[in-house]
Amino acid sequence: MLRVVKEPGNVVRFRALVRLLKLSPKEVSRATGFSRSYISRVLSCKDDFTGSPAFFRTVEHKLPDVIAGRTAQYFTIPAVSVQRAR
């Protein structure tokens, strides 16, 4: 029989947010102050580590900083021609 492990909602939401915004553990680490290994463990499906309430409070509080500090664009914005830019 297959054993189904139910993950905490915060972990599921955090993973979805990281995937949606294409965030790296380094970007989240920089904004929150938690180590990259801590972030990676929460993101890992193979590790049963679920993070602390303090971690999720910090992510909630620092979410604007996390989004502002990311390196990948979320929206695709076409380039403007040189003629239009002038």
Side-chain angles (χ1 to χ4, degrees):
M1 184 172 177
L2 183 63
R3 183 175 158 228
V4 177
V5 178
K6 185 171 173 151
E7 294 181 315
N10 282 341
V11 172
V12 173
R13 284 187 284 279
F14 180 62
R15 287 178 186 158
L17 184 67
V18 167
R19 266 192 321 272
L20 176 70
L21 296 174
K22 299 176 185 169
L23 300 169
S24 71
K26 182 178 181 179
E27 291 167 326
V28 177
S29 173
R30 232 182 293 148
T32 63
F34 283 80
S35 70
R36 282 184 290 175
S37 61
Y38 189 99
I39 309 289
S40 294
R41 287 190 68 194
V42 176
L43 291 172
S44 174
C45 295
K46 296 178 181 174
D47 193 337
D48 61 354
F49 181 70
T50 59
S52 68
F55 168 70
F56 290 107
R57 270 193 303 277
T58 301
V59 171
E60 178 87 15
H61 180 71
K62 299 285 186 172
L63 191 55
D65 299 332
V66 171
I67 293 169
R70 65 196 162 87
T71 56
Q73 252 182 270
Y74 181 72
F75 292 103
T76 303
I77 302 167
V80 177
S81 71
V82 175
Q83 299 300 335
R84 278 191 67 195
R86 292 182 184 175

